[in-house]
Structure formats: C-alpha cells, structure tokens
C-alpha cells in the first residue's frame, strides 16, 4: 500500500472478523509465526511491517509515534482489535487514541512506553541503533538457529527466558527481518520521546495487558502501571521473557481468545500463567 509517502508492506490471511498484529522495534511480520496460526481460525489477520522495518519503506519524517499509528489506520476499514508487542503496543495505543473509531479492543503484549524514556532505555536504544546488531547477525541466522549457545548469546537476558527452547524455524524468522530493515532508528527516537501516560485516559476501548513474568527488557512494573491507569486486566505468563509471543504462543492465544470473546481473563488453574 502507498501510505502517505511510504510504501507499506502487510500480510493478510483468513476470513472473518479482522485482527491486526503489530510487531516490535527491529521486528517484522514473521515475529508472529508461532502465534498467528493459533488466532487464525474464523478471523482475518492483518499483519503489517512497520515503516523502515522488513519490506516497508521508511517514513519521510517521523517526529512521533503518531505517524506510525496513522499509517496503520490506513489498513483498517472497520473497528478492529489490535494486538501490539513491545514498540507495537506503544504504536497501537497511538492508533487507538487518534482513531478510536477503528480500534475495537487492544492487547498490549510486553508493551513499550512506560519506561522507554528512562536513561537506561535511551542508552540501550541509542547503542542498538548505532551498532545494528540485528543486521550483523541476520546473515548467520541459520547457524544461530542450530546452536543452543548462539541462541542464548543472541536472545538471552533481554529476549527469552529459555533461548535454547526457541525452535530453529522461529529463531530464523526473528533474525530474517533485520536483514531488510532500512530505518529502525527513527522509530526508536520517536519511542524515546513518547510518554503514553499523559494520554491513557483517552483510550476508550477494552484493553488487556499481557506480560512475560521474566521480562527483563520491559519490567513487570510497567505492566502494573498500564493496568492501573487503563483499568485493564493483566495476565502474566510464567517462565517467559520479553518475547512472550514466541515463547508461549499457546498461553498468549488463550488469553487473547478469551478477551476477544468477552470472557474474564482468568486461567483455569495457576500452572502456566497467573492473573494479577
């Protein structure tokens, strides 16, 4: 799609009620490889690649996350639930605030925003933008996918609670997108400038917070603050890090399905997840 000076790549599958899935910083549509098939039955999934990511062109100017949210709005023609992971959650919020008629519900999965402007986050995002580790690793993704040690080096601490448990297919999917990125730095800068707390009272649609209990990149405290300010339920996924949509897709799908069906998000027993 030609989206106001930016050619936007997006994938569509299935038929039925629409759901949009928005990936995070440095990600691509393939980040949803594990979760999307679980949500597909009876739905039409819309999976964009954010400007500057994957096969989408950079924005001509990106002073704030509003520009990203406005581009995603062009893909929607009816009220649609939006699931956003990490940066995708922060952009989904901007989409819901600026285009409330298009967002029927929100799922914020390990959403950026609350602590993204902290000194630690600014330092991390700036260094990552300069070094572009994803682009450097992408050519070696098959080798990484076959090695428990390399998966731990690449995804450990910041991303997955148990990196060796990531399948080879999923590992390659996560590492393939960065090879095509053209501008992730603009999104990182816009994220650092964005403070969603000043506008959260403008979110009118039902919202669910979905978080990895062992997320070291975006702390669980961010989830509590989002939940408190939005008056939204919070579902935590046990033994799971920031990449919860890849690590525990079944648990994420269960929470999302129940939420979209209007049920209370409470697991049947406290074994793989917990309601807080």
């Amino acid at each position: 799609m030609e989206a106001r000076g930016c050619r936007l790549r997006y994938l569509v599958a299935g038929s039925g009620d629409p759901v949009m899935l928005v990936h995070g910083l440095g990600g691509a549509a393939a980040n949803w490889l594990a979760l999307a098939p679980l949500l597909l039955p009876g739905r039409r999934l819309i999976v964009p690649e954010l400007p500057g990511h994957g096969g989408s062109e950079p924005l001509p100017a990106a002073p704030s996350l509003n520009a990203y949210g406005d581009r995603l709005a062009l893909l929607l023609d009816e009220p649609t639930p939006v699931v956003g992971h990490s940066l995708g959650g922060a952009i989904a919020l901007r989409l819901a605030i600026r285009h409330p008629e298009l967002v029927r519900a929100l799922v914020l999965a390990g959403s950026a925003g609350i602590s993204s402007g902290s000194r630690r986050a600014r330092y991390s995002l700036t260094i990552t933008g300069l070094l572009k580790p994803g682009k450097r690793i992408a050519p070696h993704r098959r080798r990484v996918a076959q090695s428990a040690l390399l998966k731990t080096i690449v995804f450990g601490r910041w991303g997955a609670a148990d990196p060796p448990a990531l399948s080879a297919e999923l590992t390659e999917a996560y590492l393939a997108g960065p090879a095509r990125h053209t501008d992730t730095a603009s999104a990182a800068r816009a994220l650092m400038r964005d403070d969603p707390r000043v506008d959260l009272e403008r979110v009118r649609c039902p919202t669910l917070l979905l978080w990895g209990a062992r997320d070291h990149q975006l702390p669980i405290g961010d989830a509590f603050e989002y939940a408190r300010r939005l008056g939204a339920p919070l579902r935590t996924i046990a033994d799971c890090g920031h990449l919860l949509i890849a690590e525990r897709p079944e648990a994420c799908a269960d929470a999302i399905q129940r939420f979209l069906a209007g049920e209370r998000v409470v697991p049947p027993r406290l074994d793989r997840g917990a309601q807080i």
Side-chain angles (χ1 to χ4, degrees):
M1 170 181 277
E2 293 293 339
R4 299 179 187 171
C6 159
R7 191 169 177 82
L8 196 66
R9 180 176 184 259
Y10 65 102
L11 289 75
V12 179
S15 60
D17 293 334
V19 174
M20 176 179 277
L21 308 178
V22 188
H23 67 76
L25 183 66
N31 288 21
W32 300 98
L33 181 66
L35 181 55
L38 302 177
L39 300 176
L40 187 59
R43 294 191 176 92
R44 178 168 59 95
L45 298 186
I46 305 165
V47 189
E49 294 190 317
L50 293 171
H53 293 67
S56 293
E57 295 177 348
L59 291 174
S64 73
L65 295 183
N66 289 337
Y68 294 86
D70 290 346
R71 282 355 183 256
L72 296 187
L74 299 175
L75 301 177
L76 302 177
D77 54 14
E78 62 180 295
T80 301
V82 179
V83 182
H85 175 244
S86 197
L87 167 69
I91 292 174
L93 278 169
R94 289 296 155 195
L95 173 60
I97 290 167
R98 292 172 64 82
H99 304 276
E101 74 285 358
L102 292 177
V103 181
R104 185 164 64 84
L106 276 176
V107 178
L108 305 180
S111 180
I114 295 293
S115 60
S116 300
S118 68
R119 180 180 299 179
R120 174 179 171 274
R122 290 198 304 269
Y123 176 80
S124 176
L125 290 169
T126 300
I127 293 298
T128 300
L130 291 172
L131 297 180
K132 297 180 173 63
K135 271 193 175 294
R136 297 172 185 269
I137 296 169
H140 311 287
R141 57 187 178 272
R142 290 187 179 176
R143 183 181 174 193
V144 174
Q146 299 301 324
S147 169
L149 175 60
L150 292 178
K151 283 193 282 188
T152 300
I153 292 172
V154 173
F155 294 102
R157 183 62 187 176
W158 76 271
D162 185 9
L166 295 174
S167 70
E169 183 183 25
L170 200 54
T171 300
E172 286 198 48
Y174 262 87
L175 296 178
R180 306 179 66 193
H181 292 349
T182 51
D183 179 19
T184 60
S186 292
R189 287 192 294 268
L191 176 61
M192 288 187 280
R193 291 191 291 264
D194 186 75
D195 186 350
R197 290 170 291 190
V198 300
D199 292 318
L200 290 181
E201 73 278 1
R202 296 171 59 192
V203 175
R204 293 289 179 259
C205 62
T207 303
L208 169 68
L209 276 300
L210 196 58
W211 226 267
R214 297 171 61 186
D215 190 332
H216 297 297
Q217 178 163 327
L218 294 171
I220 194 71
D222 287 13
F224 286 129
E225 185 161 0
Y226 267 130
R228 178 177 62 83
R229 289 175 178 268
L230 290 167
L234 165 62
R235 168 82 176 262
T236 61
I237 309 297
D239 298 324
C240 186
H242 185 59
L243 300 179
L244 68 167
I245 62 172
E247 291 186 274
R248 297 287 184 271
E250 293 84 3
C252 291
D254 176 72
I256 293 169
Q257 303 269 28
R258 290 171 178 268
F259 173 65
L260 295 183
E263 298 179 28
R264 291 189 61 215
V265 184
V266 179
R269 58 183 186 278
L270 300 179
D271 50 1
R272 303 302 296 175
Q275 176 74 21
I276 296 181

